[in-house]
Amino acid sequence: MAKKRNVALVTAGLSTAAVGVGAWAGIRRAQERLALNRTAMNETLPVHSKWWRDVAKTEGELLYVALGDSAAQGIGASAPKNSYVGVIADHIRATTGRTVQVVNLSVSGATVALAVADQLPRFATFQPDVVTVAIGANDIAAFDPALFEAGIRKVFAALPDHAIVADLPCFYLPWNEKKVAVGNRILRQVAAERGLTVVPLHDTMKRQGLRGVVTQFAQDLFHPNDHGYRVWASAFLPTVTARVTKLFPRRPKASEAARPDTDAPDAVGDLAEAPATP
């Protein structure tokens, strides 16, 4: 009996070890796939950057300037135009009936400090009708509240009063969310001092819940995909709509000229899910 018991224990141990080795191999394969996905995503950085530079050469009746990081570039989207910046630009065109020049000054990997050094000097040369800013997500990995506040103050000081600023996105993981909460308190306080409007990107993402975690991220599990960027855009659209409809009444298309009762397009549509907070 003792011999049979020992054999059974050894067999069970070997089975457990085999399961453990299999699980570890599965984890390693998943890590390798994720690394390949991230490498493939990195290869799109120059492609997106060039696309936005080319787009900026097309003049328009209105000027929309975006400041930010890889999210503004649309990394993770099926095409650069599907970034939240592209969605917002299309919305401005549809809402106003005007052409829009889009100057996307964002840089992939930008932190707040890098935005101050690189994007603000270029931004000073423009007089935009619409400005959106989403910066700070790349500061979370090595978050320093004092440095973050110093950088945010410099960024916000350079913005016009009508600039539309997003708070930091939702990171979902508890250890990152603690840092995001501190960063968003700083961001909102500095924005309030400047009188800038902050749109609720964090809450808009968080309300997507587990479904959002599964459906709104690209293959690198960090950048948004097309759906994720529509969620980002929905945080901006109520405030963007309010600004452009007030300053630039919609110009009807030629096909609508004989239909004065034609309603303007839905200002926010299905994308908007939360009001902006001043």
Side-chain angles (χ1 to χ4, degrees), residues 144-182:
D144 183 317
L147 291 177
F148 181 79
E149 180 174 349
I152 281 292
R153 287 190 177 279
K154 291 177 181 177
V155 171
F156 288 3
L159 300 177
D161 293 344
H162 62 78
I164 303 167
V165 178
D167 60 7
L168 299 179
C170 182
F171 276 67
Y172 296 100
L173 299 174
W175 51 89
N176 281 333
E177 280 289 273
K178 290 180 180 179
K179 294 185 283 187
V180 167
V182 175

Side-chain angles (χ1 to χ4, degrees), residues 166-249:
D167 60 7
L168 299 179
C170 182
F171 276 67
Y172 296 100
L173 299 174
W175 51 89
N176 281 333
E177 280 289 273
K178 290 180 180 179
K179 294 185 283 187
V180 167
V182 175
N184 275 338
R185 283 197 295 271
I186 294 170
L187 185 151
R188 287 182 173 275
Q189 177 183 341
V190 177
E193 293 172 5
R194 271 284 288 110
L196 299 174
T197 297
V198 179
V199 297
L201 174 58
H202 183 274
D203 286 351
T204 302
M205 293 178 64
K206 190 173 182 179
R207 278 200 302 274
Q208 299 288 308
L210 181 60
R211 181 175 178 273
V213 175
V214 174
T215 63
Q216 69 186 27
F217 288 97
Q219 291 181 334
D220 65 350
L221 302 182
F222 181 75
H223 291 96
N225 57 19
D226 286 1
H227 169 67
Y229 281 123
R230 290 194 296 272
V231 172
W232 277 55
S234 73
F236 285 94
L237 290 187
T239 303
V240 170
T241 300
R243 173 162 177 77
V244 299
T245 54
K246 179 180 179 181
L247 297 179
F248 313 105

Side-chain angles (χ1 to χ4, degrees), residues 3 13 37 48 62 90 96 102 113 124 143 146 153 166 191-192 227:
K3 185 175 181 180
N37 290 339
H48 283 235
L62 306 181
D90 285 343
T96 64
V102 183
F143 187 65
R153 287 190 177 279
H227 169 67

Side-chain angles (χ1 to χ4, degrees), residues 7-254:
V7 171
L9 290 173
V10 170
T11 301
L14 290 173
S15 298
T16 301
V19 170
V21 170
W24 174 247
I27 292 173
R28 287 296 301 272
R29 286 194 296 271
Q31 290 175 332
E32 290 170 358
R33 284 197 301 271
L34 184 58
L36 289 174
N37 290 339
R38 288 173 175 166
T39 298
M41 205 74 70
N42 287 337
E43 292 174 353
T44 69
L45 300 183
V47 175
H48 283 235
S49 181
K50 182 182 184 303
W51 191 88
W52 287 111
R53 289 196 304 272
D54 291 342
V55 164
K57 298 173 184 177
T58 302
E59 296 185 357
E61 297 165 275
L62 306 181
L63 175 60
Y64 167 31
V65 178
L67 297 134
D69 49 35
S70 57
Q73 288 279 302
I75 303 304
S78 59
K81 66 179 182 178
N82 293 328
S83 73
Y84 76 88
V85 172
V87 174
I88 291 171
D90 285 343
H91 181 76
I92 296 172
R93 294 184 185 101
T95 301
T96 64
R98 290 166 166 78
T99 58
V100 179
Q101 180 181 14
V102 183
V103 177
N104 191 342
L105 299 178
S106 65
V107 177
S108 293
T111 59
V112 170
L114 289 175
V116 170
D118 178 60
Q119 297 178 47
L120 291 189
R122 291 184 289 153
F123 179 73
T125 65
F126 295 98
Q127 293 184 323
D129 299 297
V130 178
V131 180
T132 62
V133 182
I135 193 71
N138 290 320
D139 291 82
I140 294 302
F143 187 65
D144 183 317
L147 291 177
F148 181 79
E149 180 174 349
I152 281 292
R153 287 190 177 279
K154 291 177 181 177
V155 171
F156 288 3
L159 300 177
D161 293 344
H162 62 78
I164 303 167
V165 178
D167 60 7
L168 299 179
C170 182
F171 276 67
Y172 296 100
L173 299 174
W175 51 89
N176 281 333
E177 280 289 273
K178 290 180 180 179
K179 294 185 283 187
V180 167
V182 175
N184 275 338
R185 283 197 295 271
I186 294 170
L187 185 151
R188 287 182 173 275
Q189 177 183 341
V190 177
E193 293 172 5
R194 271 284 288 110
L196 299 174
T197 297
V198 179
V199 297
L201 174 58
H202 183 274
D203 286 351
T204 302
M205 293 178 64
K206 190 173 182 179
R207 278 200 302 274
Q208 299 288 308
L210 181 60
R211 181 175 178 273
V213 175
V214 174
T215 63
Q216 69 186 27
F217 288 97
Q219 291 181 334
D220 65 350
L221 302 182
F222 181 75
H223 291 96
N225 57 19
D226 286 1
H227 169 67
Y229 281 123
R230 290 194 296 272
V231 172
W232 277 55
S234 73
F236 285 94
L237 290 187
T239 303
V240 170
T241 300
R243 173 162 177 77
V244 299
T245 54
K246 179 180 179 181
L247 297 179
F248 313 105
R250 185 168 183 265
R251 178 180 300 163
K253 297 178 181 178

